[in-house]
Amino acid sequence: MMENCFDTKKFLLEPVDFYGSEHLKEMFPPDETEEEACMELPHFNARLSYLKPKGTDMVPSVCKMLTQIPDIADHNKIIMHLSRESKTLYIAAIEGRNRLLLLNCYPANEKEEILYYVSLAAKHAMFNPPITVLYSHERLSEDETGLLERYFQKVIFAQ
């Protein structure tokens, strides 16, 4: 498990064949406190580039999500990380063991916003919510879990 993680919205996941080192800088011009870093994800035939604080070896929290995907047996799954500090919801939608259909982040703080963006991800991935399993890195409140369980098969806390 990755312990040295930080929350950032400044990341880009690209297939290896389309990767360009300039793409991230075009989308997110770095400031003087940031530097670009890159991580190979051979399981997805992709490369994750991101901006991190200069002089650190930190990786974005989405890396933690991506490294857990092969260990989850469910066919259609959505992994989410809710950062209450930055009020950001990170979502990955995966079909099978390694078909990553979506990786993105959204502004979310309320249970209705969480449901909206998770439902949007399911729709984008063409998943049927009643047979889709949600994995959350953070413990959700009973209200949040109850709301999500009304629409999705189950909600599992994944450490």
Side-chain angles (χ1 to χ4, degrees):
M1 202 65 60
M2 299 179 161
E3 296 300 323
N4 202 13
C5 296
F6 71 104
D7 291 330
T8 183
K9 298 173 187 171
K10 298 178 180 181
F11 64 87
L12 180 62
L13 183 71
E14 296 178 286
V16 170
D17 296 340
F18 297 111
Y19 173 77
S21 60
E22 70 284 351
H23 295 166
L24 180 70
K25 291 177 185 170
E26 289 173 6
M27 290 182 65
F28 306 107
D31 64 28
E32 63 278 348
T33 66
E34 300 171 317
E35 63 185 355
E36 185 174 356
C38 189
M39 175 181 275
E40 296 287 329
L41 299 168
H43 194 71
F44 301 110
N45 193 32
R47 185 171 286 154
L48 180 73
S49 52
Y50 55 93
L51 294 179
K52 66 176 185 156
K54 273 189 178 174
T56 69
D57 61 350
M58 298 175 77
V59 295
S61 52
V62 295
C63 290
K64 185 176 181 179
M65 294 168 50
L66 294 172
T67 59
Q68 289 182 328
I69 291 170
D71 299 330
I72 300 172
D74 295 293
H75 186 71
N76 290 347
K77 53 202 161 262
I78 294 177
I79 300 175
M80 59 186 221
H81 163 69
L82 176 62
S83 171
R84 297 196 191 275
E85 183 178 317
S86 65
K87 298 179 182 173
T88 304
L89 178 66
Y90 299 87
I91 297 176
I94 305 95
E95 178 183 49
R97 286 221 171 278
N98 63 355
R99 188 159 182 241
L100 183 62
L101 302 175
L102 175 126
L103 177 67
N104 212 338
C105 60
Y106 307 93
N109 194 35
E110 304 294 326
K111 64 183 177 186
E112 293 82 7
E113 294 168 328
I114 297 167
L115 174 61
Y116 174 79
Y117 288 116
V118 171
S119 298
L120 184 66
K123 181 178 179 180
H124 176 77
M126 294 191 286
F127 288 171
N128 183 357
I131 60 171
T132 300
V133 178
L134 298 180
Y135 291 85
S136 176
H137 282 165
E138 276 57 51
R139 293 232 180 250
L140 301 173
S141 71
E142 286 184 31
D143 287 346
E144 292 165 339
T145 303
L147 180 62
L148 291 169
E149 285 177 337
R150 282 190 227 157
Y151 299 93
F152 291 87
Q153 182 181 5
K154 59 185 166 183
V155 178
I156 297 172
F157 173 66
Q159 296 183 18

